[in-house]
């Protein structure tokens, strides 16, 4: 298991940007595929993006393609989510997650470690 802590959330106006970070503990960070999910009030947690061990492969949900970018720095045990052109509907708690899968998963059930989340609020 790896321990995860997100940071970088906050209140931003529509059209603004944030950079979310997720710091992982442990020496095996590079052996995990990583993902970001979000959960809006009253809604289920949903997939946002995921990235392979090396960072070569990335996947995004359609609603964030072209606006969000997932990346990782294995030397710093950190995964990032750059969120641009934010919309009010992006308001949610954003969670970082780790998966031991050999492929790059997009389903919650494939992720075994989760952070506590960071709040992103977008005002109109």
């Amino acid at each position: 298991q790896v321990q995860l802590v997100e940071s970088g959330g906050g209140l931003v106006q529509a059209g603004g940007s944030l950079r979310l970070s997720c710091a992982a503990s442990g020496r095996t960070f590079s052996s995990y595929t990583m993902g970001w999910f979000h959960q809006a009030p009253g809604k289920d947690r949903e997939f946002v993006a995921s990235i392979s061990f090396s960072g070569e492969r990335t996947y995004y949900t359609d609603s964030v393609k072209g606006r969000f970018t997932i990346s990782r720095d294995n030397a710093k045990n950190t995964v990032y989510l750059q969120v641009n052109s934010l919309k009010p509907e992006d308001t949610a708690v954003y969670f970082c997650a780790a998966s031991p899968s050999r492929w790059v998963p997009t389903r919650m059930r494939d992720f075994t470690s989760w952070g506590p989340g960071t709040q992103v609020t977008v005002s109109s």
Side-chain angles (χ1 to χ4, degrees):
Q1 291 279 341
V2 61
Q3 285 72 50
L4 306 172
V5 179
E6 304 91 340
S7 62
L11 174 63
V12 63
Q13 289 187 333
S17 298
L18 289 170
R19 189 193 197 198
L20 308 183
S21 299
C22 173
S25 64
R27 295 173 291 178
T28 59
F29 175 73
S30 60
S31 65
Y32 287 90
T33 57
M34 300 297 296
W36 286 94
F37 290 75
H38 65 193
Q39 186 167 15
K43 295 188 178 181
D44 293 334
R45 193 171 299 188
E46 298 178 334
F47 170 76
V48 175
S50 55
I51 188 167
S52 61
F53 307 119
S54 63
E56 291 180 352
R57 286 175 291 149
T58 57
Y59 295 92
Y60 299 91
T61 192
D62 287 345
S63 64
V64 308
K65 287 179 180 177
R67 299 190 299 123
F68 291 10
T69 303
I70 188 171
S71 61
R72 66 189 297 164
D73 185 337
N74 288 341
K76 295 183 178 179
N77 282 10
T78 301
V79 62
Y80 305 97
L81 186 69
Q82 179 68 41
V83 296
N84 298 328
S85 302
L86 282 163
K87 305 175 182 179
E89 52 262 43
D90 295 320
T91 295
V93 178
Y94 283 72
F95 297 91
C96 170
S99 172
S101 300
R102 302 305 297 175
W103 63 93
V104 184
T106 61
R107 301 175 302 184
M108 282 184 57
R109 64 187 182 188
D110 294 320
F111 290 84
T112 56
S113 299
W114 293 83
T118 186
Q119 176 71 47
V120 172
T121 302
V122 184
S123 62
S124 57

